[in-house]
Amino acid sequence: MSKNQVNTKTIEYSSLKDINKAAQAILAFGKNTPIWLFEGQMGAGKTTLIKAICECMLVNSHVQSPTYSIVNEYATTRGENIYHFDFYRIKSEEEAMDIGIEDYFYSGGFCFIEWPSKVENLLPSKHLKVNIEVDENGKRVITLLKV
């Protein structure tokens, strides 16, 4: 098996009833990489997938998009912290620096980042890319890439 095969994986799901199974597969693949970059068009299901992943991680609080707060912090039943970012509305990387994103990124906790292209110069070099595409039938095709 080539190194590239080890660092990539494709997961598909056709309905929300299958999303937890997809979330578990993503967790198994990315469990040793704490920074996850979620890419996909508006409405592709980034936040919905993050909710399912957090459920699998036993988050004990309400998971929602941090569209206006930029970051939400969740705790698991095991006492682990998860940070969920949505950079869609930020205007500059300086704005992200002002909230202390480097502290989050290097905390050791999982960081799930929506719209990472808005802060690409600030991202750790080691991360998991989670690209979500929606086909003409509404099926989600998730491509994972460890960088």
Side-chain angles (χ1 to χ4, degrees), residues 72-92:
N72 287 344
E73 183 175 335
Y74 314 121
T76 69
T77 57
R78 294 183 292 256
E80 301 163 323
N81 290 325
I82 298 170
Y83 307 103
H84 178 190
F85 297 88
D86 185 336
F87 290 120
Y88 182 74
R89 285 189 164 65
I90 70 162
K91 295 177 180 32
S92 69

Side-chain angles (χ1 to χ4, degrees), residues 38-47 88 114-115 131-135 140:
F38 289 80
E39 297 275 10
Q41 66 188 27
M42 185 74 73
K46 295 178 293 292
T47 301
Y88 182 74
E114 297 185 52
W115 303 101
N131 186 57
I132 306 169
E133 293 183 10
V134 184
D135 76 7
R140 278 17 185 213

Side-chain angles (χ1 to χ4, degrees), residues 112-127:
F112 299 148
I113 304 164
E114 297 185 52
W115 303 101
S117 60
K118 298 278 207 139
V119 295
E120 70 182 323
N121 294 317
L122 305 176
L123 296 169
S125 58
K126 182 180 177 189
H127 54 264

